[in-house]
Amino acid sequence: MLKLDDVKKSFGATQVLRGIDLSVQRGEVVCVIGPSGSGKSTLLRCINLLEPPDSGRVLLEGKEITGRATADELDYVRRRVGMVFQHLNLFQHKSALENVCLAQEKVLGRSREESRTKAEALLDRVGLSDKLNHYPEQLSGGQQQRVGIARALAMDPHVMLFDEVTSALDPELIKEVLDVMRELAAEGMTMVVVTHEMGFAREVATNVSFMDEGVVVEAGPPAEVLESPRNERTKRFLGLVLER
């Protein structure tokens, strides 16, 4: 479904990604963990071409999407790769329903009626059927993130990217967002999840990749990486995180 081959990315003199290799099979959930500043968010942004890689290749369903992307190629990526951001990025002047309808109409060309039907079904799916006409300021952080998930799902993506979507939430709101993500994983959605939630990674991930200083230091099944890490850097990180 998704393959990265020696992907590198710099911002000025700072090399953020120093050669990333990653493979994600259809239906897999890959959790990317690591300290702040290790390049995790940049990795996701390179996958959906919000930040074009400087070198290396990204392949989506066997099609290379890196290089000088045309408008059609970018459209190909945007239709197939959904992303939910750490910062909520909802349109504040639009209701939950309107936030989920907008891209369907503007990008996919769906009618207003078709978009509304899809949006209502997705908001019900994430437990917000009673919040259709609420604006973001009227919703909790967890509810806003669930609107963001519904908005991404409305595009019928083949892959979903999640960038630390619970990091800005109060502890009691984290579970409601992770529960939606658990349901997506159980339904077979292909997902790449940048997270600090080790319990979620242990429970849901098919593979875990530990990143540090722009490289994947260690990768494998959760039981191996989280329970019996081989790399000393991974051991130190997990020792600090799991003690909290």
Side-chain angles (χ1 to χ4, degrees):
M1 175 64 78
L2 182 67
K3 182 176 175 60
L4 280 70
D5 180 19
D6 196 28
V7 169
K8 298 178 181 177
K9 179 66 180 181
S10 296
F11 296 100
T14 303
Q15 191 170 19
V16 179
L17 300 181
R18 299 191 292 123
I20 298 292
D21 296 313
L22 183 72
S23 293
V24 184
Q25 303 301 320
R26 187 178 304 274
E28 280 192 328
V29 178
V30 174
C31 283
V32 183
I33 64 173
S36 298
S38 58
K40 305 184 300 296
S41 295
T42 299
L43 169 64
L44 292 188
R45 295 173 70 85
C46 283
I47 290 174
N48 69 358
L49 302 186
L50 285 174
E51 297 288 353
D54 296 329
S55 62
R57 300 192 306 157
V58 178
L59 290 89
L60 176 63
E61 297 178 315
K63 174 184 174 68
E64 184 174 358
I65 59 175
T66 37
R68 187 178 294 276
T70 65
D72 286 344
E73 288 169 334
L74 286 173
D75 185 60
Y76 174 89
V77 176
R78 299 288 182 263
R79 287 170 180 261
R80 287 163 176 79
V81 182
M83 186 163 179
V84 185
F85 297 86
Q86 174 181 359
H87 302 291
L88 301 169
N89 288 338
L90 297 179
F91 292 106
Q92 297 297 310
H93 64 293
K94 292 187 177 295
S95 68
L97 184 67
E98 291 169 332
N99 264 281
V100 181
C101 286
L102 184 62
Q104 296 184 71
E105 298 174 17
K106 299 297 185 183
V107 178
L108 300 183
R110 289 175 180 158
S111 68
R112 179 168 297 183
E113 181 179 355
E114 185 182 7
S115 297
R116 183 184 177 94
T117 299
K118 178 91 169 178
E120 289 177 347
L122 286 169
L123 287 167
D124 180 62
R125 179 180 179 181
V126 300
L128 294 174
S129 58
D130 60 337
K131 305 291 184 183
L132 301 182
N133 297 314
H134 284 57
Y135 288 83
E137 66 179 12
Q138 300 171 303
L139 301 173
S140 70
Q143 290 169 337
Q144 290 185 55
Q145 279 295 29
R146 285 185 281 154
V147 174
I149 293 172
R151 180 175 64 178
L153 291 173
M155 305 300 286
D156 298 322
H158 298 187
V159 181
M160 284 283 285
L161 310 178
F162 295 87
D163 186 13
E164 297 189 19
V165 295
T166 61
S167 65
L169 300 181
D170 293 333
E172 64 266 25
L173 301 178
I174 290 173
K175 182 179 182 297
E176 64 188 48
V177 176
L178 294 182
D179 282 347
V180 173
M181 294 168 66
R182 288 186 181 95
E183 290 177 11
L184 290 176
E187 294 166 4
M189 174 63 74
T190 306
M191 298 160 60
V192 182
V193 182
V194 169
T195 186
H196 290 296
E197 299 293 334
M198 298 301 137
F200 176 84
R202 185 182 292 108
E203 174 191 350
V204 177
T206 49
N207 281 279
V208 173
S209 291
F210 172 69
M211 281 184 66
D212 190 35
E213 296 185 351
V215 297
V216 175
V217 175
E218 186 167 355
E224 291 182 10
V225 176
L226 300 179
E227 306 297 338
S228 303
R230 298 183 302 274
N231 186 277
E232 286 301 320
R233 181 67 185 93
T234 313
K235 292 178 182 178
R236 291 199 306 274
F237 173 79
L238 291 172
L240 292 171
V241 170
L242 296 177
E243 284 176 3
R244 294 175 183 172

